[in-house]
Amino acid sequence: MALNYEDVIKTKDSISFKNQAFINGKYVNSLSEKVFEDISPVDGGLVTSVAECDVDDVNDAVKAARYVFEKGSWSRMAPNKRKKILFKFADLIKKNILELGILETIDMGKPISAATGDIAACVACLNWYAEAIDKIYDDVAPTRDNIIAMITKEPLGVVGAVTPWNYPLLMAFWKIAPALATGNSFILKPAEQSPLSALRVSELAMEAGIPEGVFNVVPGFGPTAGKALGMHMDVDKLGFTGSTEVGKLFLKYSGDSNMKRVSLECGGKSPNIIFADAPDLDVAAKQAADGMFFNSGQVCDAPSRLLIEKSIKDEFIERLIEYSKPWMPNDPFHPDTSMGSMVDKNQASRVLDYIETGKKEGAQIVTGGEQVNKDTGGYYIAPTIFKDVNNSMKIAKDEIFGPVLCAIDFEGEKEALKIANDTDYGLNAIIWSNDLNKVHKIAKRIRSGKVLVNSMSDGDMSVPHGGYKQSGFGRDKSLEAMGQYTQTKLTWIELK
C-alpha cells in the first residue's frame, strides 16, 4: 500500500477511538466501570481510557457466545453463506486498512508501513480460511456393507483467545479466522498495551453480517480478564500467544477448570546459522539484520542468536553492522521509517537491562546499545549487536524481545547443531549453506517447529506456524489450524 505522510497524519487526527468492550454485538462499559490508560509509546502520551473487563464481563461474553452457538445462527449456517460473510468481513478490513494500521502504530509504536502490512496480512488470512470453508470434506470409514460410519468435524463451541501486543490484529486473526470459519463463537482478550485495533474491527464484524454474540472483545489485564477466560467452565478452547511463563498458567487453568483445549505459542530464541559456504554472505547478512530488527526485535521467532562459522566471523559482522544502519528508529508515522519504538516504558527498560547484563557478562557491543530519540517522549532503542557471546550467557539464553542480536561463533556442523539445540525454545531456525547434504542433515536434527534454508521468508498462509519444547504446541496458519477448532465425531449407523 502506497502511503503519504500527510494522509497518514490527517487520518490519524480524525480517528475516534473505540474504547469500550464489545459484547453481544454492542459496545459496553465494563460492569465495574473501571478503565485503564492506553499510553502510546510513540511519544509517551495518553491516547484514551479503555474499559477494564473482569470476571463478570467475561461471564457476559461467554453467555452471549454460548447462546448464539446453541442457537445455530452461525455454527449451523450453510458453509457457503458463512464463507460470503467472512469475505465481506475481509473486504471491510481492507477498506479500513489505513485507520487500523494507524491504531496499531499509536498503540505499539510499529512503523506505519509495517502496521498496514500487518492489516493486509489479516485480510489475506481471513480470505484464505473463508475460501477453505467449503473445501474440507468429512470421511466415511470402510466397513461391512450394512454399516455406515461417518467421521465428521464439528465446531468446538466457545473459543477464547489471549493475544500479544507485538502483532495486535495479525496474531488475533491467526486464531479468529479458523475459529469462525469452522463455526465457533469467539472471545478475544487483546493485550492491554494494544486493544484499539481489535475494538475497532469488532463493529466491522457486525457490519459484515456476523451474528451478535459470535465475535466479542474483552479488553483488560491477564491476571483478571485473561485468567477468567482460562478458568471459565463454559469455554471449550483457549488459544494463547505470549510468554512461556504465562502459557504455563493457561495449562494450569485448564486443569483446574473443565480441561478445555489449550494451544500455546510461547516465543523463542531462534538460531540463525551462517556457514562459510553460504550462497551469498551479503544476502545472509542483510536478512540477518532485517529479521532481527524488524518490529524492533519484538518478534517471537526473531533470529536473535546469530551462529557464525569462525572463518568468516569478522567479515560477516562487518557486513552486518552496515546492514543494521537503516534500522535506526525514527518517527513511526512516516512511511519511510524502518524501525519504531518499543511497546512501552517497561519493555524498553527490560531491554536496556539486558544490554547492561551482556556488557557485564563480557560480550562486546559492536553497534547500538543505547536508548535514542529521548526528546520525543517515546521509547526507542538503537539496533544493537553483541559479538563474542557464548551460549551460556543470559543474553543468549533469555528471550530479550528487543533489537538485540547475539553473535556466537562455532567450528563445524557438530558444534553448530549443539549450540542451536541448546535452548529451552524451539520455534524457528535458519541455515545458510550451499551444501544440500549438510543442510538436510542438520535440518532433520534441529528441534524446531520450522527450519528455513537460505531465506527468512515463510509468510505463506498455507504453511503451519508453531514450536517445539517451551515455544509451545499447537499450530497457527494452514489447514492444520482448522483442526484445532473442531472436534471429531464418529456416527455409526447399522442398517437392518
mmCIF file of all heavy atoms in Angstrom, residues 36 77 99 134 188 229 288 315 469:
data_model
loop_
_atom_site.group_PDB
_atom_site.id
_atom_site.type_symbol
_atom_site.label_atom_id
_atom_site.label_comp_id
_atom_site.label_asym_id
_atom_site.label_seq_id
_atom_site.Cartn_x
_atom_site.Cartn_y
_atom_site.Cartn_z
ATOM 1 N N PHE A 36 -8.639 1.575 32.097
ATOM 2 C CA PHE A 36 -7.189 1.682 32.216
ATOM 3 C C PHE A 36 -6.676 2.615 31.132
ATOM 4 O O PHE A 36 -7.331 2.809 30.103
ATOM 5 C CB PHE A 36 -6.499 0.318 32.149
ATOM 6 C CG PHE A 36 -6.682 -0.430 30.854
ATOM 7 C CD1 PHE A 36 -5.777 -0.273 29.803
ATOM 8 C CD2 PHE A 36 -7.747 -1.303 30.681
ATOM 9 C CE1 PHE A 36 -5.934 -0.967 28.620
ATOM 10 C CE2 PHE A 36 -7.919 -2.000 29.492
ATOM 11 C CZ PHE A 36 -7.002 -1.829 28.457
ATOM 12 N N MET A 77 -24.904 -22.444 10.233
ATOM 13 C CA MET A 77 -25.144 -21.717 8.982
ATOM 14 C C MET A 77 -24.557 -22.497 7.808
ATOM 15 O O MET A 77 -23.513 -23.148 7.944
ATOM 16 C CB MET A 77 -24.500 -20.324 9.065
ATOM 17 C CG MET A 77 -24.703 -19.462 7.825
ATOM 18 S SD MET A 77 -23.834 -17.866 7.978
ATOM 19 C CE MET A 77 -24.899 -17.006 9.140
ATOM 20 N N GLU A 99 -6.682 3.230 8.692
ATOM 21 C CA GLU A 99 -7.107 3.527 10.056
ATOM 22 C C GLU A 99 -6.647 2.444 11.037
ATOM 23 O O GLU A 99 -6.111 2.754 12.108
ATOM 24 C CB GLU A 99 -8.629 3.656 10.130
ATOM 25 C CG GLU A 99 -9.137 3.942 11.534
ATOM 26 C CD GLU A 99 -10.639 3.885 11.660
ATOM 27 O OE1 GLU A 99 -11.334 3.767 10.625
ATOM 28 O OE2 GLU A 99 -11.133 3.942 12.803
ATOM 29 N N ASP A 134 -15.738 -24.429 2.427
ATOM 30 C CA ASP A 134 -16.470 -25.468 1.700
ATOM 31 C C ASP A 134 -15.545 -26.347 0.853
ATOM 32 O O ASP A 134 -15.955 -26.949 -0.125
ATOM 33 C CB ASP A 134 -17.575 -24.865 0.833
ATOM 34 C CG ASP A 134 -17.064 -23.812 -0.133
ATOM 35 O OD1 ASP A 134 -15.829 -23.607 -0.209
ATOM 36 O OD2 ASP A 134 -17.892 -23.187 -0.815
ATOM 37 N N LEU A 188 -12.170 -12.543 22.320
ATOM 38 C CA LEU A 188 -10.784 -12.106 22.259
ATOM 39 C C LEU A 188 -10.443 -11.222 23.444
ATOM 40 O O LEU A 188 -11.162 -10.257 23.731
ATOM 41 C CB LEU A 188 -10.536 -11.340 20.952
ATOM 42 C CG LEU A 188 -9.174 -10.656 20.798
ATOM 43 C CD1 LEU A 188 -8.049 -11.686 20.744
ATOM 44 C CD2 LEU A 188 -9.162 -9.784 19.531
ATOM 45 N N LEU A 229 -11.034 -16.082 31.371
ATOM 46 C CA LEU A 229 -11.261 -16.907 30.183
ATOM 47 C C LEU A 229 -10.655 -18.296 30.356
ATOM 48 O O LEU A 229 -11.269 -19.313 30.019
ATOM 49 C CB LEU A 229 -10.640 -16.242 28.952
ATOM 50 C CG LEU A 229 -11.498 -15.266 28.148
ATOM 51 C CD1 LEU A 229 -10.663 -14.647 27.031
ATOM 52 C CD2 LEU A 229 -12.728 -15.943 27.568
ATOM 53 N N ALA A 288 19.796 -11.231 8.047
ATOM 54 C CA ALA A 288 20.030 -11.353 9.491
ATOM 55 C C ALA A 288 19.651 -10.061 10.203
ATOM 56 O O ALA A 288 19.009 -10.086 11.262
ATOM 57 C CB ALA A 288 21.488 -11.713 9.753
ATOM 58 N N GLU A 315 34.459 -10.865 8.876
ATOM 59 C CA GLU A 315 33.907 -10.359 7.617
ATOM 60 C C GLU A 315 32.383 -10.231 7.703
ATOM 61 O O GLU A 315 31.805 -9.223 7.274
ATOM 62 C CB GLU A 315 34.287 -11.311 6.474
ATOM 63 C CG GLU A 315 33.648 -10.989 5.143
ATOM 64 C CD GLU A 315 33.820 -12.092 4.120
ATOM 65 O OE1 GLU A 315 34.451 -13.112 4.433
ATOM 66 O OE2 GLU A 315 33.292 -11.922 3.003
ATOM 67 N N LYS A 469 9.251 -27.809 22.289
ATOM 68 C CA LYS A 469 9.739 -27.511 23.642
ATOM 69 C C LYS A 469 8.924 -26.374 24.268
ATOM 70 O O LYS A 469 7.691 -26.349 24.151
ATOM 71 C CB LYS A 469 11.249 -27.220 23.609
ATOM 72 C CG LYS A 469 12.070 -28.386 23.074
ATOM 73 C CD LYS A 469 13.563 -28.191 23.255
ATOM 74 C CE LYS A 469 14.188 -27.283 22.246
ATOM 75 N NZ LYS A 469 15.665 -27.239 22.335
#
